[in-house]
Amino acid sequence: IYRLFLFYFQLDKPVKETKTVKCLKLGRTVKEPTAGSSCLVAGWGKTNNIAKQMSDVLRSVNVTVIDRMKCNSPDYYNLKPVITSSMICAGSDGKNNADTCGGDSGGPLLCNGALVGVTSFGRKCGMKTKPGVYSFLTEKQLTWIKKTMKSSDL
């Protein structure tokens, strides 16, 4: 069973928004992206399978959403683990390798500028048949996040 873990913290002072630093508001229920959709992922994780250190700069790449049935097929994850309706597979467009890697967990999956998922797991990095798997931010999860943030001491 895979669970979505969210951590939040309060900063000592407000963040100054710039051209490269922006706030991402949590919207209402986000429609699950369709297979073939291009989405953006970002993180400070490793940049390949043999890297020993994390990236020292924030990196981002466009990934392509992969049909859940295809992701569960023998050529992909082969139901080990089962990719459920609370998960999104996204990676290579079939031509170029695109993926998250170790250390990117917890980072955003943005589709059409909206936060729809959180980096969860994968097998190795950049493999066309082992795309990244993201926790899908369902209405239930978004409601819980907003409720928890309101009830905190923030």
Side-chain angles (χ1 to χ4, degrees):
I1 296 175
Y2 294 91
R3 299 204 187 275
L4 174 65
F5 292 100
L6 295 170
F7 300 95
Y8 60 90
F9 52 91
Q10 184 174 3
L11 301 175
D12 291 335
K13 56 186 178 181
V15 173
K16 181 179 179 185
E17 289 198 41
T18 67
K19 183 176 146 186
T20 56
V21 176
K22 302 216 180 300
C23 291
L24 181 63
K25 293 183 181 182
L26 288 176
R28 294 203 170 114
T29 305
V30 177
K31 185 177 177 185
E32 182 176 355
T34 58
S37 299
S38 180
C39 299
L40 180 74
V41 293
W44 282 273
K46 295 179 180 181
T47 56
N48 60 54
N49 287 309
I50 59 173
K52 296 197 186 315
Q53 295 183 344
M54 306 294 183
S55 176
D56 59 354
V57 295
L58 178 63
R59 295 181 180 265
S60 64
V61 68
N62 286 319
V63 292
T64 301
V65 176
I66 298 166
D67 179 77
R68 191 172 290 110
M69 285 181 63
K70 183 176 184 177
C71 205
N72 276 315
S73 73
D75 290 338
Y76 282 70
Y77 279 100
N78 196 28
L79 302 174
K80 296 177 185 171
V82 174
I83 307 304
T84 69
S85 61
S86 64
M87 301 174 188
I88 299 169
C89 275
S92 169
D93 62 4
K95 299 173 189 167
N96 301 307
N97 289 344
D99 201 0
T100 48
C101 203
D104 289 328
S105 294
L109 173 68
L110 302 165
C111 302
N112 295 319
L115 179 66
V116 299
V118 177
T119 304
S120 184
F121 70 92
R123 294 241 175 90
K124 296 195 176 181
C125 311
M127 297 176 63
K128 290 180 183 176
T129 61
K130 298 291 186 269
V133 180
Y134 303 83
S135 294
F136 176 45
L137 289 179
T138 63
E139 180 178 8
K140 183 178 179 180
Q141 291 168 330
L142 286 168
T143 300
W144 179 86
I145 292 167
K146 290 174 184 176
K147 180 180 171 187
T148 302
M149 289 174 69
K150 282 182 182 176
S151 66
S152 71
D153 293 329
L154 294 178

